Amino acid sequence: MAKEFSVPPVVFPSSAGNPNVPQQRRAPGAAPFQPPRPSNPGPANPSLPFMSFDVGSAPASSSFSAPVFAPAAGEGFSVSGSFDDEPPLLEELGINTRQIWRKTISILNPFRVNPDLHEDADLSGPFLFLMAFGLFQLLAGKFHFGIILGWVTVAAFFLYIVFNMLAGRNGNLDLYRCLSLIGYCMLPMVIFSALSLFVPHGGVVIFLMAAVFVLWSARVCTALLVELASCGDEHRGLIAYACWLVYMLFSLLILF
């Protein structure tokens, strides 16, 4: 015969964790509790859209626009201005291509040299000629860029010292102009370097060409030095010999 036991009712603790507090029971069929709402709710505050609890009625946020600052009084700065009024880049760098072209044309005629074009010295044209000379040497299988730049610098110091020693206190030849003149007078050497690619080395023709182009460069450089610097006319022979030595060295780079 089974024995029956009386089981006491089980009371679950409330959400607050206190088992002594009885649970609240809701009558069956009763609606859940809802907080009261105002009968006529006003529109959400447009200045604080994130404070609105009505998600469906909140306006969509517009895309961010960068702030526009007005220029200060007296300033003509414009954000939407163009670069049409800006000078060319070569002009800002001090490179006058038209002047370089005129100087190059004047070097091509050794009998009529215009010294007025070389009053304004620059290094843009000489740098182009030296790079072209080194490029033609590179096509011949000779890497002489460092030697060319070093020899031009030493030659400029050499002519500068020689000319000012001959002219004495009246000499007005500066090193910058001397370097510019030597560089521009390298144009015959550049032409010789280009022609030597098509002429066999070791023959009489290449040595005759070297003599002609060396005399060409030395004559033009001497004429420019004498005309542009004072007290150089009476020492023309010594200046011509110094210029001949300089360009003879560059011709040896082509011949050997």
Side-chain angles (χ1 to χ4, degrees):
M1 182 175 178
K3 190 176 182 178
E4 296 181 358
F5 297 93
S6 60
V7 180
V10 180
V11 179
F12 294 95
S14 63
S15 59
N18 190 359
N20 299 323
V21 179
Q23 292 184 344
Q24 295 182 358
R25 297 184 178 180
R26 188 176 57 190
F33 175 77
Q34 292 182 358
R37 293 188 179 183
S39 59
N40 187 15
N45 191 356
S47 61
L48 299 174
F50 58 89
M51 292 297 292
S52 175
F53 292 98
D54 195 357
V55 181
S57 61
S61 59
S62 59
S63 59
F64 177 76
S65 59
V68 179
F69 300 97
E75 296 182 0
F77 178 75
S78 177
V79 178
S80 60
S82 60
F83 294 96
D84 296 337
D85 299 333
E86 293 291 332
L89 180 59
L90 294 178
E91 185 177 346
E92 290 185 354
L93 296 177
I95 301 175
N96 192 347
T97 55
R98 183 175 299 179
Q99 186 180 16
I100 293 174
W101 174 252
R102 291 177 179 176
K103 290 180 180 180
T104 304
I105 296 300
S106 67
I107 297 296
L108 292 177
N109 189 359
F111 301 102
R112 291 187 59 184
V113 182
N114 189 3
D116 297 333
L117 295 175
H118 297 270
E119 285 286 347
D120 188 12
D122 68 280
L123 295 182
S124 303
F127 182 77
L128 293 177
F129 293 155
L130 294 178
M131 290 296 103
F133 184 75
L135 179 61
F136 288 126
Q137 290 294 289
L138 185 62
L139 293 177
K142 305 172 185 178
F143 190 78
H144 288 159
F145 285 99
I147 298 175
I148 292 170
L149 295 177
W151 282 13
V152 166
T153 305
V154 173
F157 276 103
F158 172 68
L159 287 182
Y160 171 74
I161 294 174
V162 168
F163 188 88
N164 285 282
M165 287 181 62
L166 294 175
R169 297 181 178 179
N170 297 325
N172 59 353
L173 179 65
D174 55 344
L175 186 60
Y176 184 75
R177 177 177 294 181
C178 187
L179 187 60
S180 175
L181 293 179
I182 291 176
Y184 272 107
C185 294
M186 281 289 296
L187 179 59
M189 291 290 101
V190 175
I191 300 175
F192 177 43
S193 179
L195 294 178
S196 65
L197 299 175
F198 309 98
V199 178
H201 287 223
V204 182
V205 178
I206 191 72
F207 285 98
L208 290 177
M209 291 175 59
V212 170
F213 284 101
V214 167
L215 291 176
W216 182 0
S217 295
R219 176 182 173 81
V220 175
C221 188
T222 303
L224 291 176
L225 285 174
V226 171
E227 294 293 334
L228 294 178
S230 59
C231 301
D233 204 3
E234 53 189 14
H235 304 292
R236 182 184 290 268
L238 294 176
I239 297 174
Y241 177 68
C243 295
W244 179 81
L245 288 178
V246 169
Y247 294 105
M248 176 60 70
L249 289 177
F250 287 105
S251 67
L252 294 179
L253 291 177
I254 304 175
L255 295 175
F256 303 103

